[in-house]
């Protein structure tokens, strides 16, 4: 009987064929093993959660993705569109609201971070009888707006600025209101409005 042919390095044709078949079958075996492995359901990490917010002295129960910004919660879920979305990067101030009396850029704050806090938007400034907040009235008196898009954020920021004690001079107002951009350049009128409403706002 003839012996199988072998190459100079001792590698036989039979051994070569066996190795080829094994290599071809390996992916099929692995695929079968994966198919037979038990399927473990993944936890749905982005399920909405019920978030309790107190906005303009009214309670809101909102079902929100935990990544929802306070700005989007106010506009898209609470229906309070007075708060404007400008740059959405915390650079223009159009989305400014008050949280526990302090200025907050709502586009940079998650809604869930503000649970249990008092949030004030421009819709909550006027009294129940329709009388405007002193700062709102001052902006009207001094024509401190043109297109009006930045005005809600300007007014809320101005109230926060007064609360912080940064309105003792025109230079203070310009410095501490510099985070609120007015592309219509109504800055002199804004300063005049804040000076007018400063004392009344402290008691409001």
């Amino acid at each position: 009987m003839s012996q199988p042919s072998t190459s100079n390095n001792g590698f036989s044709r039979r051994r070569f064929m066996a190795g080829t078949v094994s290599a071809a079958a390996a992916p099929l075996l692995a695929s079968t093993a994966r198919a037979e492995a038990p399927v473990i359901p993944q936890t749905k990490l982005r399920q909405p959660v019920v978030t309790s917010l107190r906005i303009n002295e009214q309670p809101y129960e909102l079902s929100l993705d935990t990544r929802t910004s306070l700005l989007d919660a106010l506009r898209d879920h609470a229906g309070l569109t007075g708060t404007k979305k400008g740059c959405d990067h915390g650079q223009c101030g159009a989305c400014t609201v008050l949280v526990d009396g302090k200025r907050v850029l709502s586009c940079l704050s998650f809604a869930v971070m503000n649970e249990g806090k008092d949030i004030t938007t421009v819709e909550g400034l006027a009294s129940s009888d329709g009388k405007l907040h002193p700062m709102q009235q001052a902006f009207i008196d001094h024509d401190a707006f043109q297109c009006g898009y930045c005005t809600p954020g300007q007014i809320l920021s101005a109230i926060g600025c007064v609360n912080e004690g940064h309105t003792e001079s025109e230079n203070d107002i310009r410095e501490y209101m510099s985070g609120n951009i007015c592309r219509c350049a109504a800055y002199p009128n804004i300063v005049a409005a804040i000076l007018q409403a400063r004392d009344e706002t402290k008691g409001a």
Side-chain angles (χ1 to χ4, degrees):
M1 178 180 290
S2 62
Q3 297 295 324
S5 61
T6 59
S7 61
N8 292 336
N9 61 4
F11 188 76
S12 70
R13 182 171 178 274
R14 181 177 296 168
R15 191 174 301 165
F16 171 77
M17 293 299 293
T20 302
V21 171
S22 298
L28 295 175
L29 294 173
S31 177
T32 302
R34 284 196 298 269
E36 293 177 353
V39 178
I40 302 174
Q42 294 184 351
T43 304
K44 294 182 179 179
L45 299 177
R46 298 305 180 188
Q47 285 185 332
V49 297
V50 176
T51 304
S52 300
L53 298 176
R54 183 171 174 79
I55 308 169
N56 300 328
E57 300 183 352
Q58 298 295 322
Y60 286 79
E61 297 284 331
L62 305 177
S63 181
L64 303 173
D65 186 309
T66 54
R67 298 167 294 178
T68 303
S69 68
L70 178 57
L71 172 59
D72 287 339
L74 292 171
R75 289 181 57 83
D76 300 336
H77 297 270
L80 299 170
T81 56
T83 305
K84 302 305 182 186
K85 178 176 285 194
C87 66
D88 212 21
H89 288 82
Q91 297 177 350
C92 72
C95 68
T96 304
V97 298
L98 299 179
V99 177
D100 289 342
K102 297 181 180 179
R103 294 184 282 182
V104 168
L105 296 170
S106 59
C107 74
L108 296 184
S109 180
F110 290 120
V112 293
M113 295 168 55
N114 296 281
E115 196 162 17
K117 299 178 181 179
D118 285 317
I119 301 164
T120 303
T121 72
V122 70
E123 291 93 342
L125 293 180
S127 61
S128 58
D129 61 3
K131 182 180 179 181
L132 295 178
H133 186 282
M135 192 65 73
Q136 290 176 301
Q137 187 61 56
F139 266 66
I140 293 172
D141 293 344
H142 289 273
D143 196 22
F145 52 87
Q146 289 186 40
C147 78
Y149 194 84
C150 73
T151 305
Q154 295 278 3
I155 291 173
L156 270 298
S157 189
I159 294 170
C161 196
V162 172
N163 292 341
E164 295 160 14
H166 296 314
T167 56
E168 296 307 311
S169 68
E170 291 188 12
N171 286 337
D172 282 347
I173 293 171
R174 292 190 186 97
E175 175 68 24
Y176 288 98
M177 288 292 292
S178 60
N180 289 76
I181 296 173
C182 174
R183 289 178 171 83
C184 301
Y187 297 114
N189 308 60
I190 291 171
V191 172
I194 294 172
L195 287 173
Q196 173 181 307
R198 177 180 57 194
D199 294 336
E200 289 184 82
T201 298
K202 288 178 181 179

